[in-house]
Amino acid sequence: MSKALDPRRANDPRDFLAVDGLLDEDERAIKQTVRRFVVDRVLPDIAGWYEEGVFPRDLATEMGSLGLLGMHLDGYGCAGTNAVSYGLACLELEAGDSGFRSFVSVQGSLAMFPIHAFGSEEQKQEWLPQMAAGEAIGCFGLTEPDSGSDPGSMRTVARRDGSDWVLNGTKMWITNGGIADVAVVWARTDEGIRGFVVPTTTPGFAASNIHAKASLRASVTSELVLQDVRLPESAVLPGVVGLRGPLSCLNEARFGILFGAVGAARACYEAALDYSLSREQFGRPIAGFQLVQRKLVEMMVSVNRSTLVALHLGRLKDAGRLTPAQVSFGKMDNVRQAVEVAREARNSLGANGITLEYPVIRHMTNLESVYTYEGTNEIHTLTLGQAITGLAAFR
Ligand code: TGC
Ligand code: FAD
């Protein structure tokens, strides 16, 4: 008879609900591969990149060769994994830094997805293989200086001029903008909102990076100015008209974020656990004090609960049953949980919690952006309110 496990030590503090056991072999292998990439290629340098405010563009091709770019899309050089694997990759990347998950979200879900879902065959052939390889970088221009939560109020316009389109307007807060080779830009037309595939070398297109950010510093965030940008008819995404186009892309990216936030929270919880076990005050490890244990337990419960929510939503997506409001549930709750975990972890590290020698303050400040972008906490709350009452309270 096998010796019974000591019930006091039967659980892995880093996977308390044994969620890893719910993954299949391929999913576990992808998770491990991305975790290794983060440990080897991101963690050694991330504090420096964060401090300097740079994103290491060189790593794009490495992420491409790992199949992380547009990984849940089929064909055109994309890996074609299931949705859960895409989510797990986002989780592991964000355990490194939200900037890396952002890069992958924007490239795969916001720039490649619209071309894949709504693009012409010519657009797909031209852009997707090089984007999947990380040789071309994409960005997604929806938000404007006066049009954030309400993208339907955008002012960027595209008007027909003979067989061409001419675009004018300004896009704000655009991830990857300054390093992009191609921008998917959403603009108002006589027919409704349409998407345009804009090579960033097109005359009249300019990107300037936003500096002095105190969050997501290892990520490029830019303003895009389009002044009489002339594009051929072939630049428009033929497959969609209306706000449904960009909002469909957001569903994909928000799905990655609801997994990613768990990664940031897990990294914070693990840092707090390790620190509390080794830091001694009053003659013993602070992890032995009841108030510290309470914080650690709250963090652990939160991380496990968010992981289960993410995995459940991933399984729904793979079964083709995930609704946009369910994505809002995950984005709203997992990100707010992560914000709270990061804050508690920061506190647990005392003064060391404010230095970049530990990952926590970096995650904590990053998560402030994650709380705001891809639909703020309030917008997802209202989306859920509408879903359960049938009443829209946005306006
Ligand atoms: P509304 O009248 O409700 O809808 C207009 C049309 O869109 C359809 N629709 C959706 N389609 C797909 N997915 C969704 N989630 C959809 N939500 C709505 C809807 O059926 C309708 O279609 P049709 O064919 O009948 O015309 O639109 P509204 O103007 O009332 O707005 C609704 C609201 C507020 C929820 C929406 O505008 C919204 O989500 N606002 C938040 C904006 C946002 O999230 N921006 C993110 C920008 S990108 C970014 O932040 C990248 S961060 C970098 C990174 O990811 O790392
Ligand atoms: P606002 O919409 O002005 O909101 C301000 C506050 O008012 C928020 O708290 C909001 O919740 C609240 N509010 C607004 N409307 C309501 C309402 N009806 N009811 C209750 N409260 C409300 N955009 C892109 O298009 N592409 C990108 O790649 C991209 N990357 C980003 C990267 C970073 C680092 C950041 C910070 C943002 C990025 N964004 C991007 C923009 C992001 O999507 C917007 O910031 C976000 O949608 C919110 O818009 P806003 O900042 O204009 O805030």
Side-chain angles (χ1 to χ4, degrees), residues 83 251-252 254-256 258-259 309-330:
N251 294 335
E252 297 301 306
R254 289 165 178 171
F255 173 79
L258 70 88
F259 270 88
V309 167
L311 188 57
H312 174 65
L313 296 179
R315 296 285 180 232
L316 285 180
K317 186 165 169 60
D318 278 324
R321 290 193 284 122
L322 184 65
T323 68
Q326 289 169 333
V327 174
S328 285
F329 181 115

Side-chain angles (χ1 to χ4, degrees), residues 42-87:
V42 178
L43 293 184
D45 294 310
I46 185 62
W49 293 327
Y50 190 90
E51 203 164 5
E52 289 161 34
V54 294
F55 174 77
R57 192 192 198 283
D58 299 354
L59 291 186
T61 46
E62 235 173 280
M63 287 190 269
S65 62
L66 288 176
L68 301 181
L69 306 178
M71 73 185 282
H72 64 314
L73 305 178
D74 286 319
Y76 306 97
C78 303
T81 68
N82 69 358
V84 167
S85 296
Y86 169 54

Side-chain angles (χ1 to χ4, degrees), residues 101-102 105-106 110 140 142-143 148-151 175 243-244 247-248 250-251 254 257 324 373-375 379 383 394-395:
R101 198 270 309 132
S102 253
S105 293
V106 170
L110 295 182
F140 175 88
L142 179 64
T143 306
S149 296
D150 179 17
T175 302
L243 203 51
R244 185 173 69 78
L247 294 182
S248 306
L250 297 183
N251 294 335
R254 289 165 178 171
I257 290 174
Y373 67 34
E374 292 283 3
I379 288 300
T383 299
F394 296 104
R395 304 184 159 77

Side-chain angles (χ1 to χ4, degrees), residues 107-118:
Q107 178 82 350
S109 287
L110 295 182
M112 294 173 72
F113 174 82
I115 296 173
H116 194 274
F118 308 125

